[in-house]
Amino acid sequence: MYSSGNCSSDFSYPPNMQMTSARHEVETEQTLHSSNSIYELRDTFYSSSKKKKGSVFHVVLNSSGLALQRSTTVAGKDLVVKISDIIGGRCVRIQRTQRFKSTGGCGVCTPNISDKERTSEDEDAYLYLFAYVLKKNIRNVLRRERTVITLRFRSFDSHEDNMREAEKWYKTLKAYRESYVLNGVSKNGQIPKRLLILLNPKSGSGKAKELFHRQVVPVLNEAEVPYDLYVTKHSNYAYDFVRRRDLSVWTEIATVGGDGLFHEVVNGLFKRMDWENVIENISLGIVPCGSGNGLARSIAHCCGEPYDPKPILGAALTLVGGHSSSMDIVEIELENKIIYSFLSVGWGLISDIDIESERLRALGYQRFTIWTLHRLINLRTYRGRISYIPKAESATDAILSQTHVSRSRTSLQHSISFQGTLSKVYKSNDHISETEFEDVISLETLANQSFRSRCGSWLSSGSRKSTYYSISESLYHSISDTSECSESHCAEGIADIDESQFRRLSERNVQPLPNYDKWVVLNGEFVMIHAAYQTHLGSDCFFAPQSKLNDGTIYLVIIHGGISRSQLLNFLINMSSGTHLPPENTEFIKVVRAEAFHLEPYENNGILTVDGERVKCGQLQARIIPDAVKILIPKKKI
């Protein structure tokens, strides 16, 4: 029925039907589980385009979405756009003096009418519906395709009457959309959705800010989601920001950058005195603009959402229409501090390649390939000890594991720190020394832009467009928020706090770790030890295929010394497809599922990384904390 590209399908009503509507009566039954009264809307439109001229469509808007059913015998398929794919709409009036062009402005999604026609048609009202439909391209690969559907209301002689009908459809669409996002739960008493966005302008290739304004802002504007944008100025800016600021004005925190920026936010949150309240009320999101993007790729994989070729688009749609899911966090005790990890801990080969290849950053992604070959030729081994607690597999433990997933975070009141269980391994320091946040963080604001001034960015010429004209009544609703960030929205910083008073995340866990003599211990020489708790370490590194966001499991991959270079090369090559792990443990490659582990490099040499960031090489202890934070994931299809 619709062809891609820049062609526009214009729909209007026949002249003899201007005041004789073929519109169905509005249904009176309530179709949503909501405290508000929301009704199904029906209307009749017909096409005036050359290809579809004379085609009549019955348009129905309900809780399932928008359906356009062809009522003529002309060949073509009906169109159904699910409510899960629609992110927003706009009511607009075309000004008589406004000119439209084929590129730029709003011309690409509005009727191509002449000045002569415009004189008699400027009393009409237009409703734009923005949708991102999941389709397969010519290579049979799923991807999101932007679609703009235009409904034109011109049943009445006055603009006010036409706009009333358009607004009725707009309000109904918005109510259905809100009910879908909230799973039918009333939003009474809930804080209005507002995003805090932290952007690292130097992440990846240094184009994060440009990508944000070109690919994320249009989606936020179409969905009418207000947000405040802060651009980081130095390392640990995001860490200090979320640790010191009052976050009560925001419902979600999103990072635009790589995994390193998200790591700062997670650790900043758990260094707050009120972290328990914060993680209960704020969800975290990520827009992948870094060089690794392991977390964003893992979220897309676990939710069955297409990632390539437009990962930023998928992440932006998750920010506006996704829902919260619990995600595990790993608490790591180093010799002088405690940090929190969401991705991985590495020691040996992979960490060596990741960090040492930084000197070749100018070569882009090829630096990893070059340094992999270099490290294979000059293969290193490291002496140390790895100890771990195997993941429980018995029926009783399975029940306990299920309880971990389903329990409320607020129920974890009687918990025991695992610090005491580590006394046989090493004595750590509970006090964390961090650089004080001395400067007042300034706010980078977005200029207050009108709806019309934004049209050039969010109405692209590559969008699929369809225009429909009505045969009956109409309503207008103004844009709710311009996404401007002002000082009034930004809370004041809080006073310095004594970190010795912190209640650790692990103290909320009901089950303490067993005594150290119950752990499995491996000594010897290792090529690498890598612990992962997401499926992907990078966008093309499918490291732990069986991992889930909240399965309470650490996947330990241990490669012993003595492995041949050919075996190791095969392992590294197959990481992109997830076929690198043997079905059963071999002499040199072991994969274990663990709840906690302790790593002790004997000579304290080699590179140790946490979430891809280098830390001082030394002893560390890690344990997984189930359901520690809430993460935004794509909404399930209906």
Side-chain angles (χ1 to χ4, degrees):
M1 177 176 177
Y2 294 93
S3 59
S4 60
N6 298 334
C7 60
S8 176
S9 302
D10 299 336
F11 286 69
S12 63
Y13 55 88
N16 61 349
M17 297 180 66
Q18 287 188 14
M19 298 304 295
T20 57
S21 173
R23 172 174 175 264
H24 296 271
E25 293 297 326
V26 175
E27 301 292 338
T28 58
E29 68 268 21
Q30 185 171 333
T31 58
L32 292 177
H33 299 291
S34 173
S35 60
N36 298 325
S37 180
I38 306 174
Y39 305 105
E40 182 178 86
L41 294 180
R42 295 173 178 267
D43 211 333
T44 302
F45 297 77
Y46 97 102
S47 170
S48 64
S49 69
K50 294 181 179 179
K51 293 184 178 180
K52 304 186 182 73
K53 193 167 185 177
S55 299
V56 179
F57 291 85
H58 297 298
V59 181
V60 180
L61 176 63
N62 56 29
S63 60
S64 297
L66 186 74
L68 297 102
Q69 302 169 342
R70 186 183 294 269
S71 62
T72 64
T73 58
V74 179
K77 296 181 179 180
D78 296 339
L79 174 67
V80 177
V81 182
K82 296 180 180 180
I83 197 68
S84 58
D85 295 334
I86 301 174
I87 68 168
R90 289 289 192 282
C91 287
V92 182
R93 179 180 182 178
I94 304 300
Q95 298 298 327
R96 180 181 300 183
T97 58
Q98 186 168 358
R99 294 182 179 274
F100 297 96
K101 300 180 181 180
S102 59
T103 58
C106 293
V108 295
C109 73
T110 54
N112 185 18
I113 55 180
S114 64
D115 290 339
K116 182 177 180 181
E117 292 173 316
R118 194 184 310 278
T119 302
S120 61
E121 295 179 352
D122 56 16
E123 298 302 329
D124 303 343
Y126 297 84
L127 173 61
Y128 298 120
L129 303 180
F130 307 110
Y132 291 81
V133 183
L134 193 62
K135 293 188 176 182
K136 290 183 178 180
N137 60 14
I138 58 176
R139 296 181 180 179
N140 206 33
V141 177
L142 285 173
R143 59 178 296 178
R144 290 284 176 184
E145 186 177 87
R146 183 176 184 271
T147 301
V148 179
I149 299 175
T150 305
L151 300 179
R152 183 179 181 185
F153 298 85
R154 52 176 303 184
S155 300
F156 299 96
D157 293 332
S158 69
H159 168 70
E160 289 74 17
D161 290 337
N162 288 324
M163 194 60 83
R164 272 195 295 272
E165 182 66 15
E167 188 183 31
K168 180 189 299 182
W169 282 68
Y170 168 81
K171 284 185 174 181
T172 303
L173 170 68
K174 192 171 182 179
Y176 283 136
R177 178 65 186 170
E178 289 178 351
S179 180
Y180 165 74
V181 172
L182 295 172
N183 290 319
V185 179
S186 173
K187 65 176 184 179
N188 293 335
Q190 293 188 7
I191 300 175
K193 183 184 182 75
R194 189 174 193 90
L195 294 177
L196 165 61
I197 298 177
L198 296 165
L199 184 150
N200 178 8
K202 295 184 178 181
S203 63
S205 58
K207 296 182 179 180
K209 194 172 182 180
E210 176 186 352
L211 292 172
F212 172 75
H213 285 292
R214 291 180 60 183
Q215 299 187 41
V216 181
V217 169
V219 175
L220 295 175
N221 289 340
E222 288 173 355
E224 300 179 84
V225 174
Y227 63 91
D228 299 319
L229 173 66
Y230 290 78
V231 178
T232 62
K233 300 178 180 179
H234 51 75
S235 177
N236 284 329
Y237 180 96
Y239 168 84
D240 292 328
F241 185 97
V242 299
R243 185 172 70 99
R244 299 288 304 280
R245 286 298 179 100
D246 180 2
L247 303 177
S248 61
V249 294
W250 295 292
T251 57
E252 297 166 6
I253 299 176
T255 61
V256 181
D259 293 323
L261 184 61
F262 194 87
H263 177 85
E264 287 189 25
V265 170
V266 168
N267 280 272
L269 288 176
F270 287 116
K271 295 303 190 300
R272 298 174 60 95
M273 292 295 293
D274 63 342
W275 64 264
E276 292 179 275
N277 179 64
V278 170
I279 64 175
E280 281 291 334
N281 296 291
I282 293 182
S283 299
L284 305 179
I286 185 169
V287 177
C289 292
S291 56
N293 305 320
L295 178 60
R297 184 67 182 89
S298 298
I299 292 173
H301 173 79
C302 292
C303 298
E305 185 73 11
Y307 183 79
D308 293 320
K310 296 181 179 180
I312 296 178
L313 173 61
L317 294 174
T318 299
L319 293 184
V320 302
H323 74 286
S324 297
S325 174
S326 62
M327 185 176 75
D328 302 335
I329 290 292
V330 170
E331 185 178 73
I332 300 173
E333 298 184 29
L334 301 174
E335 293 182 346
N336 63 343
K337 63 179 179 179
I338 297 172
I339 59 177
Y340 296 94
S341 168
F342 63 90
L343 187 66
S344 66
V345 176
W347 179 55
L349 181 62
I350 292 180
S351 296
D352 291 348
I353 295 171
D354 188 18
I355 300 301
E356 292 177 352
S357 64
E358 285 287 336
R359 66 191 72 180
L360 303 178
R361 177 170 284 272
L363 299 179
Y365 189 77
Q366 294 299 323
R367 66 188 175 99
F368 294 110
T369 302
I370 295 173
W371 209 258
T372 296
L373 296 175
H374 173 71
R375 281 271 60 89
L376 283 174
I377 295 172
N378 302 279
L379 190 60
R380 300 170 180 164
T381 58
Y382 302 97
R383 293 182 62 252
R385 178 172 64 184
I386 178 72
S387 311
Y388 61 89
I389 301 175
K391 176 69 175 178
E393 296 294 345
S394 66
T396 302
D397 291 322
I399 295 175
L400 291 175
S401 177
Q402 184 177 0
T403 304
H404 272 308
V405 174
S406 62
R407 71 170 184 269
S408 168
R409 294 185 189 89
T410 56
S411 67
L412 303 180
Q413 302 298 331
H414 307 289
S415 24
I416 303 175
S417 168
F418 68 83
Q419 183 67 40
T421 67
L422 307 181
S423 58
K424 297 183 180 180
V425 185
Y426 70 94
K427 184 174 180 59
S428 65
N429 187 358
D430 285 334
H431 301 276
I432 306 170
S433 177
E434 301 288 351
T435 304
E436 293 297 329
F437 183 42
E438 299 174 353
D439 299 330
V440 176
I441 297 180
S442 62
L443 172 66
E444 175 150 335
T445 64
L446 292 176
N448 184 11
Q449 304 174 22
S450 65
F451 164 73
R452 185 63 57 188
S453 67
R454 287 194 182 120
C455 290
S457 66
W458 55 259
L459 293 175
S460 65
S461 59
S463 304
R464 287 171 52 88
K465 304 171 292 297
S466 302
T467 307
Y468 302 88
Y469 301 165
S470 74
I471 315 174
S472 51
E473 290 182 33
S474 290
L475 255 191
Y476 173 73
H477 194 281
S478 62
I479 301 172
S480 63
D481 198 292
T482 60
S483 297
E484 177 188 11
C485 182
S486 62
E487 289 294 343
S488 62
H489 295 142
C490 306
E492 297 295 332
I494 60 176
D496 289 335
I497 50 183
D498 181 4
E499 295 186 2
S500 64
Q501 301 177 14
F502 284 134
R503 185 183 180 207
R504 290 166 48 181
L505 177 59
S506 61
E507 293 177 1
R508 306 179 76 193
N509 199 347
V510 176
Q511 300 293 330
L513 292 177
N515 294 331
Y516 190 66
D517 55 9
K518 302 291 180 65
W519 294 36
V520 177
V521 181
L522 299 176
N523 291 278
E525 291 193 351
F526 303 96
V527 172
M528 62 165 257
I529 295 174
H530 218 91
Y533 11 101
Q534 302 293 349
T535 57
H536 290 73
L537 299 183
S539 57
D540 62 347
C541 182
F542 195 10
F543 192 77
Q546 296 182 347
S547 182
K548 304 296 181 184
L549 293 174
N550 50 12
D551 59 359
T553 303
I554 299 172
Y555 290 84
L556 268 176
V557 178
I558 304 168
I559 299 183
H560 293 268
I563 188 173
S564 68
R565 286 176 171 80
S566 61
Q567 287 178 294
L568 201 52
L569 178 61
N570 187 64
F571 176 91
L572 295 173
I573 290 175
N574 290 330
M575 282 199 305
S576 61
S577 61
T579 58
H580 57 297
L581 301 178
E584 295 182 0
N585 289 337
T586 66
E587 179 184 359
F588 299 108
I589 302 177
K590 290 183 172 60
V591 183
V592 296
R593 300 170 72 245
E595 298 177 7
F597 69 92
H598 175 77
L599 177 63
E600 183 181 358
Y602 284 157
E603 288 86 18
N604 286 343
N605 61 354
I607 294 176
L608 187 64
T609 58
V610 176
D611 295 345
E613 302 296 318
R614 187 172 187 173
V615 298
K616 182 181 178 181
C617 188
Q619 297 185 71
L620 69 78
Q621 170 112 351
R623 75 167 300 172
I624 197 156
I625 311 296
D627 309 325
V629 297
K630 294 190 293 184
I631 188 78
L632 289 172
I633 65 173
K635 191 79 174 180
K636 292 182 179 179
K637 320 304 184 292
I638 61 173

